[in-house]
């Protein structure tokens, strides 16, 4: 058991026989490890092909192509956020705002497949928006997923939300690092533990990983801006990777007169993280 949400189908080991029969391309990447089929998880391309197979086999997503320079999101933990939001929203036809959807458009694709939710995805990176739009079109999901470009990289909701918008929930996997230097240092540490060091594990372009001021500043801006839009979204949520960030968010949410605040813990293997939720 991997301690994912009970509804997450990835709580069990991957069934490589099923995946291989669905996507023969995967056979080039499968290796034998401890008598079981696996892939080399430090090889970015192998991870990308595995993820494509998972999306096509379990989520009906037949096209998912984007540059290897972009971040390759792991499917089990991304879909976990969706399952936890289902508990929070408990509504069958929710409308969701995904802040920083990325080139992969991963949350809208999963959320639509699992719950038939409709999504608006945002990003500052115009190339990511174009790539995500191509994925949406190729999967014929234009009716369910639309995108908006954030033109000011310092803003999160301002410039995105419109007068007639109404969302049940917003979600976000925020950029993590304060600077190039911080990203490189982290990567160097990570590479020490890998057999085949990569330039950046799972890729990721500068703007995908870095926000001036880091995760802390991003979250504070998001929270502050959300106070202008209390009537436009029932719950605002975000992943918060640093546990220490939660207390200050709670304090700020209370100062901004939000009357709901909630933390949903998540455990993915030996990594713990959390979804912070607020609403007013
Ligand atoms: N949701 C994807 C990508 C997360 S990476 C996933 O979970 O894999 C963070 C994303 O936020 C990047 O795509 C980056 O371009 C975007 N981003 C950075 N600043 C932003 C802002 N102010 N508004 C919207 N998106 C932003």
């Amino acid at each position: 058991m991997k301690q994912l949400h009970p509804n997450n189908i990835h709580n069990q080991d991957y069934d490589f026989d099923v995946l291989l029969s669905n996507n023969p391309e995967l056979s080039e990447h499968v290796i034998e490890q401890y008598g079981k089929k696996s892939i080399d998880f430090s090889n970015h391309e192998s991870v990308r092909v595995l993820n494509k197979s998972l999306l096509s086999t379990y989520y009906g997503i037949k096209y998912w192509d984007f540059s290897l320079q972009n971040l390759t999101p792991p499917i089990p933990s991304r879909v976990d956020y969706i399952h936890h939001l289902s508990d929070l929203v408990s509504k069958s036809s929710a409308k969701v705002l995904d802040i920083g959807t990325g080139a992969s458009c991963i949350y809208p694709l999963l959320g639509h497949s699992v719950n038939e939710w409709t999504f608006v995805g945002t990003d500052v990176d115009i190339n990511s928006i174009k790539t995500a739009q191509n994925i949406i079109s190729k999967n014929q999901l234009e009716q369910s997923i639309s995108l908006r470009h954030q033109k000011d990289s310092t803003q999160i909701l301002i410039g995105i939300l419109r007068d007639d918008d109404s969302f049940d929930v917003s979600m976000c996997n925020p950029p993590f690092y304060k600077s190039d230097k911080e990203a490189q240092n982290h990567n160097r540490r990570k590479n020490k533990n890998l057999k085949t060091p990569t330039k950046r594990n799972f890729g990721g372009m500068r703007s995908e990983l870095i926000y001036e001021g880091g995760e802390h500043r991003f979250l504070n801006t998001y929270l502050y801006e959300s106070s202008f839009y209390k009537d436009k979204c029932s719950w605002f949520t975000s992943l918060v990777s640093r546990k220490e960030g939660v207390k200050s968010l709670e304090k700020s949410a209370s100062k901004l007169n939000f009357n709901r605040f909630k933390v949903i813990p998540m455990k993915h293997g030996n990594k713990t993280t959390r979804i912070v939720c607020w609403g007013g």
Side-chain angles (χ1 to χ4, degrees):
M1 275 299 262
K2 292 184 182 160
Q3 294 178 292
L4 297 163
H5 187 284
N7 294 345
N8 195 322
I9 56 167
H10 307 295
N11 265 312
Q12 312 300 328
D13 285 346
Y14 296 130
D15 186 334
F16 275 93
D17 295 330
V18 171
L19 294 173
L20 282 164
S21 68
N22 194 279
N23 182 9
E25 192 195 345
L26 182 62
S27 64
E28 290 166 38
H29 300 271
V30 170
I31 55 170
E32 211 45 44
Q33 217 172 28
Y34 311 115
K36 279 192 199 163
K37 290 195 180 81
S38 186
I39 61 154
D40 174 1
F41 282 95
S42 65
N43 182 321
H44 188 183
E45 212 175 320
S46 297
V47 174
R48 183 69 69 88
V49 176
L50 170 68
N51 289 2
K52 271 191 189 183
S53 311
L54 292 169
L55 289 174
S56 140
T57 307
Y58 300 111
Y59 300 99
I61 294 149
K62 299 297 176 195
Y63 180 93
W64 196 62
D65 263 337
F66 51 100
S67 161
L68 270 170
Q69 286 194 310
N70 290 116
L71 196 74
T72 297
I75 308 304
S77 58
R78 290 301 191 275
V79 81
D80 227 40
Y81 193 164
I82 299 290
H83 288 300
H84 283 291
L85 285 192
S86 312
D87 297 342
L88 184 77
V89 175
S90 61
K91 197 174 167 193
S92 56
S93 58
K95 193 154 186 221
V96 186
L97 179 69
D98 176 31
I99 297 157
T101 201
S104 68
C105 199
I106 191 64
Y107 287 128
L109 295 174
L110 290 171
H112 178 261
S113 172
V114 173
N115 290 323
E116 290 181 45
W117 288 342
T118 56
F119 278 82
V120 171
T122 80
D123 213 287
V124 271
D125 186 323
I126 191 66
N127 290 321
S128 292
I129 291 279
K130 285 181 188 158
T131 307
Q133 187 57 55
N134 184 42
I135 293 174
I136 294 165
S137 309
K138 291 265 169 54
N139 287 292
Q140 296 175 311
L141 290 170
E142 293 98 331
Q143 300 295 322
S144 311
I145 306 172
S146 61
L147 300 174
R148 295 181 194 171
H149 181 218
Q150 172 58 268
K151 294 187 184 67
D152 182 337
S153 67
T154 63
Q155 295 179 343
I156 316 257
L157 297 168
I158 298 173
I160 289 292
L161 289 179
R162 301 169 183 165
D163 287 348
D164 58 348
D165 273 335
S166 169
F167 289 96
D168 295 292
V169 64
S170 69
M171 65 188 304
C172 179
N173 179 12
F176 191 75
Y177 300 112
K178 277 198 207 49
S179 62
D180 269 327
K181 199 161 163 250
E182 199 187 45
Q184 279 157 9
N185 283 343
H186 181 90
N187 202 49
R188 218 171 287 140
R189 276 202 304 278
K190 228 173 154 180
N191 269 337
K192 272 197 188 155
N193 307 320
L194 285 177
K195 277 190 299 227
T196 5
T198 49
K199 205 157 165 250
R200 242 177 212 159
N201 321 134
F202 304 107
M205 314 245 271
R206 188 177 185 280
S207 67
E208 290 184 310
L209 303 167
I210 295 160
Y211 181 78
E212 204 70 49
E215 183 183 85
H216 179 76
R217 169 96 54 86
F218 191 95
L219 289 169
N220 277 290
T221 308
Y222 179 17
L223 177 66
Y224 176 66
E225 289 188 9
S226 71
S227 69
F228 306 136
Y229 299 109
K230 286 181 181 172
D231 58 330
K232 301 238 167 288
C233 186
S234 310
W235 280 104
F236 297 93
T237 77
S238 183
L239 288 183
V240 177
S241 64
R242 294 182 168 103
K243 195 170 147 219
E244 314 80 65
V246 176
K247 271 266 158 301
S248 78
L249 284 174
E250 187 168 14
K251 251 194 212 156
S252 309
S254 143
K255 270 191 205 146
L256 293 165
N257 292 319
F258 281 103
N259 44 42
R260 283 171 286 138
F261 190 88
K262 197 171 165 163
V263 182
I264 303 169
M266 290 202 289
K267 202 164 160 58
H268 303 146
N270 55 9
K271 224 181 116 192
T272 51
T273 183
R274 61 216 51 80
I275 306 170
V276 171
C277 320
W278 65 94

